[in-house]
Amino acid sequence: MTTAPPMERLPIASIVMRTVGGRSREIRRAIASISANLWRPLEVIVVYQGAEDAQWDDIQQLPGEFPKLSVRIMRNAGTGDRRAENLNIGWECAQGRFLGFLDDDDTLAPNHLPLLIQAMASTGHAWAYAQVLLRKEDEALNIVSETPAFRRHRFSLQSLWKENFLPIHSFLVDRHALNEAIRLRPFHEDLDRSEDWDFLLRLAFWHEPAVVEEFTAVYHVSTGTRNTNLSLMSSVNDEQHDRLNRAAWARCKEVVDQRKAAMASLMWWAREYFDIESNVPGPGAGAMASSAAPQTTRRLRQRVLRKLIRILERLL
């Protein structure tokens, strides 16, 4: 009598969630949407940033509330806006080959993970993304409106270079297939804005994505007082809040622009392809500029001499 060989265990999929607490209903809705996903084995890494207070006590209840799902809780005791660091903590703690992200107030459809994993398997690509609905809701989490605001019929790295059109929970990566440049702690921890865009730019620079046409994720926006901004304290007035917010966006844009220029310098064609201005410095720009200065002076002198020669020829 022969027995059938054991079925091969499927790779683990990990979803990293970051939170500062304060959204008890939303985070439970988010984790419930992960638990409803059809892929197994599946785990959730919740990275909580904050003190050991009542919110931390609430977060620690989550594993017991979802016994059919592996929920692991990590705490970052650091102060200030450490959103990128929180993502890196989750990235390092996750056990899955496949890794995705979900903010604590957003949700996934049950077929989200199977469709993305199938898309990567069929194409051989290192990452895949699906379409995301934008859903506005009131304080009671009732739907106000719903639109396909992030819809893209095809992927364009040039478009992504200009603006981010992929919410952080739209995509899944195969960590085994990633370029070494983005394998370890891939989120830039100096960024408290655009950290996901910076990561996506480098991910897409090295790897073409597989595109899933189905809508498998929802980006929730509250029309009430709820706010996903982690970086500014509620004690500041509106004018100061706006000023700090503008300064933070400007600083992070400068960091991302510099990193884009440095990345483009790796390929001879990239600067023209991405229409990068020559005044954006890349690595070694100072040395190149200093070496180019004598050549520029020499070329200018040669043009002046040639013009003088042509003038003399006409006179003679």
Side-chain angles (χ1 to χ4, degrees):
M1 180 178 178
T2 60
T3 58
M7 292 183 63
E8 183 179 354
R9 181 179 172 84
L10 295 172
I12 298 173
S14 301
I15 300 294
V16 173
M17 299 184 67
R18 53 186 172 174
T19 184
V20 293
R23 287 202 288 256
S24 181
R25 298 174 304 167
E26 291 86 344
I27 194 170
R28 284 166 170 80
R29 177 181 66 179
I31 295 178
S33 77
I34 299 173
S35 182
N37 254 263
L38 301 175
W39 185 268
R40 290 296 185 277
L42 176 60
E43 68 170 1
V44 180
I45 312 297
V46 178
V47 183
Y48 168 77
Q49 184 188 338
E52 294 180 328
D53 52 15
Q55 293 187 133
W56 171 236
D57 293 339
D58 181 62
I59 294 296
Q60 291 184 92
Q61 304 304 311
L62 295 173
E65 295 177 17
F66 296 91
K68 295 183 179 181
L69 183 66
S70 173
V71 180
R72 291 194 285 142
I73 309 295
M74 314 296 298
R75 187 174 79 89
N76 183 355
T79 59
D81 193 325
R82 303 196 177 206
R83 65 180 73 191
E85 181 182 45
N86 295 335
L87 292 173
N88 281 335
I89 290 172
W91 180 283
E92 290 190 334
C93 293
Q95 299 175 347
R97 169 180 173 176
F98 301 112
L99 193 146
F101 306 92
L102 183 64
D103 284 342
D104 62 1
D105 58 345
D106 293 328
T107 55
L108 302 174
N111 61 349
H112 179 76
L113 294 172
L115 284 177
L116 292 177
I117 293 171
Q118 181 182 8
M120 286 186 282
S122 62
T123 61
H125 292 333
W127 67 293
Y129 72 87
Q131 310 303 318
V132 180
L133 287 171
L134 173 64
R135 179 178 295 167
K136 293 183 179 180
E137 58 191 18
D138 61 20
E139 284 290 337
L141 306 186
N142 297 313
I143 299 175
V144 175
S145 65
E146 195 171 79
T147 58
F150 305 101
R151 177 79 175 187
R152 291 292 190 280
H153 292 289
R154 68 178 185 86
F155 179 76
S156 167
L157 181 54
Q158 280 184 315
S159 296
L160 185 67
W161 206 262
K162 296 174 183 176
E163 63 173 344
N164 185 15
F165 54 84
L166 295 175
I168 195 169
H169 60 310
S170 67
F171 62 89
L172 193 71
V173 300
D174 179 353
R175 294 201 287 180
H176 289 186
L178 291 181
N179 185 281
E180 291 183 2
I182 49 177
R183 257 185 207 173
L184 301 175
R185 295 187 76 87
F187 290 91
H188 187 8
E189 295 182 6
D190 287 344
L191 292 172
D192 53 24
R193 303 287 193 285
S194 302
E195 73 287 346
D196 52 341
W197 185 32
D198 175 77
F199 169 72
L200 276 166
L201 285 167
R202 290 182 295 123
L203 177 64
F205 189 82
W206 294 110
H207 302 286
E208 179 185 2
V211 180
V212 173
E213 293 296 331
E214 286 86 346
F215 287 85
T216 67
V218 178
Y219 186 98
H220 296 261
V221 175
S222 175
T223 58
T225 58
R226 285 179 289 141
N227 190 357
T228 59
N229 193 338
L230 308 181
S231 58
L232 301 177
M233 302 300 292
S234 59
S235 58
V236 300
N237 58 45
D238 289 343
E239 183 179 349
Q240 185 179 1
H241 181 284
D242 291 343
R243 179 176 57 82
L244 293 173
N245 198 37
R246 286 195 301 270
W249 278 110
R251 180 184 62 81
C252 290
K253 182 181 184 303
E254 182 178 358
V255 172
V256 173
D257 283 345
Q258 290 173 351
R259 286 165 64 81
K260 285 159 63 175
M263 188 163 46
S265 71
L266 300 176
M267 306 292 182
W268 67 267
W269 48 265
R271 183 170 293 275
E272 182 178 357
Y273 181 79
F274 295 120
D275 192 25
I276 297 175
E277 296 181 6
S278 58
N279 60 356
V280 178
M288 288 189 292
S290 62
S291 63
Q295 296 179 16
T296 302
T297 303
R298 187 162 52 250
R299 286 195 296 267
L300 179 59
R301 187 184 301 117
Q302 290 173 348
R303 286 200 299 270
V304 171
L305 287 173
R306 283 196 296 268
K307 188 172 182 180
L308 286 173
I309 291 172
R310 285 196 297 271
I311 293 172
L312 289 172
E313 286 175 342
R314 284 198 298 270
L315 291 174
L316 294 174

